[in-house]
Amino acid sequence: MKKNSLCDLDFKTAEELEQDYIKVLENKEAIRRLELAPIRLFDNIRYSIINYLNYRKNGLINQIPEGLKITERKYGIKVENIYQGRTLCAIVFQKEYQHEYLRVFEIQTLTKKRILSSPQTIGVYTSEYDNFESIPNRPDEKQDNALISIEKKINIALRPLNEEAWKCHLKKEATELKRIKIKKD
C-alpha cells in the first residue's frame, strides 16, 4: 500500500493568509460596487427629480430645466430628455420603492425610424433578484445609454437649479430662526 504524503512543506505565514483573505474581500466589494452602480445612477436621477419637484411646490424654483420635461402623475414621474425639440428618451418611475436593491421602471428610446418606442419595463437590481420570476430584464445597451444621457442632462440642467433652491431654503430657515430668536428676547 502506498501512503499519500505531504510534498509541499512550505506553509503560508499568517500574514500571507491574511493577504489572501483581504484580496477575496476586495474582489467581493468590487463586484458589489459594480452591481450597485446602476441602482445608484437611477437613484441619483430619481432623487434629483423629486427634489426639483419639491422645490417647485415650495416656490423655491420657478425655472424649467432646459432639455428636460418633468411630469408628475398619480402613478409616477415621467422624465423626458429633449434635444432640439425632439424627445430622445423617457423614463417613468415610482416616487417610492419598497426593496432596497430593486428598481423597476419604464423606459422609451428612439427606434430605427427615429420615433419614441413604446414603454418597456426594465429593472436595475442586484444578483439576489436574479432568480425571481416576476423581475423584468436589466437594461440593454441602448437603454443604459438612455439612462446615462438623462443623468448627464440632470447634472447640467437640473442640479444647478436644485443647488440654488437649497441655498434659498437655508437662507429662509436662517431668517426664520432669527425671527423666532428676536420674538423670544
Side-chain angles (χ1 to χ4, degrees):
M1 273 184 155
K2 276 189 171 180
K3 291 185 178 180
N4 289 340
S5 61
L6 292 174
C7 296
D8 184 9
L9 297 176
D10 188 21
F11 296 109
K12 290 186 175 185
T13 66
E15 291 82 20
E16 291 171 326
L17 288 172
E18 186 175 342
Q19 287 302 317
D20 289 346
Y21 178 72
I22 289 171
K23 284 180 188 176
V24 169
L25 283 179
E26 287 172 349
N27 286 339
K28 280 185 177 182
E29 287 176 21
I31 290 168
R32 189 66 170 177
R33 278 193 302 274
L34 287 174
E35 258 190 338
L36 292 174
I39 297 169
R40 287 194 178 116
L41 179 135
F42 177 77
D43 281 348
N44 286 338
I45 291 170
R46 187 168 61 94
Y47 293 142
S48 293
I49 297 297
I50 289 171
N51 284 338
Y52 169 77
L53 291 171
N54 287 331
Y55 290 142
R56 275 192 65 95
K57 282 179 188 171
N58 292 321
L60 296 171
I61 294 179
N62 296 321
Q63 296 170 283
I64 296 172
E66 188 177 331
L68 288 171
K69 181 178 178 186
I70 302 166
T71 312
E72 193 169 8
R73 300 175 174 179
K74 65 180 174 183
Y75 60 85
I77 299 169
K78 182 173 185 176
V79 180
E80 297 176 60
N81 183 0
I82 300 169
Y83 180 71
Q84 294 182 347
R86 293 188 59 207
T87 302
L88 302 177
C89 56
I91 58 172
V92 177
F93 57 87
Q94 301 169 12
K95 293 178 188 177
E96 300 288 329
Y97 285 91
Q98 303 299 318
H99 303 283
E100 188 174 7
Y101 300 120
L102 171 66
R103 308 290 184 267
V104 176
F105 55 97
E106 291 182 346
I107 192 165
Q108 294 175 280
T109 57
L110 287 181
T111 65
K112 290 180 182 178
K113 294 181 180 180
R114 308 295 293 161
I115 59 171
L116 218 50
S117 68
S118 59
Q120 299 166 327
T121 301
I122 60 171
V124 288
Y125 45 89
T126 57
S127 58
E128 293 111 59
Y129 295 96
D130 283 342
N131 296 323
F132 286 76
E133 289 180 22
S134 61
I135 304 296
N137 291 331
R138 287 185 171 94
D140 61 24
E141 186 177 351
K142 190 175 188 178
Q143 294 163 338
D144 263 338
N145 289 337
L147 282 172
I148 291 168
S149 75
I150 289 172
E151 184 197 32
K152 285 180 181 177
K153 184 75 64 93
I154 284 171
N155 287 338
I156 293 168
L158 188 71
R159 283 231 168 86
L161 297 177
N162 282 350
E163 288 170 5
E164 281 301 311
W166 176 247
K167 289 176 187 175
C168 287
H169 171 75
L170 291 176
K171 284 180 186 177
K172 281 185 177 183
E173 269 190 357
T175 304
E176 184 65 22
L177 286 173
K178 284 180 187 176
R179 190 179 63 75
I180 291 171
K181 186 177 179 182
I182 290 172
K183 276 186 174 181
K184 284 184 178 181
D185 293 340

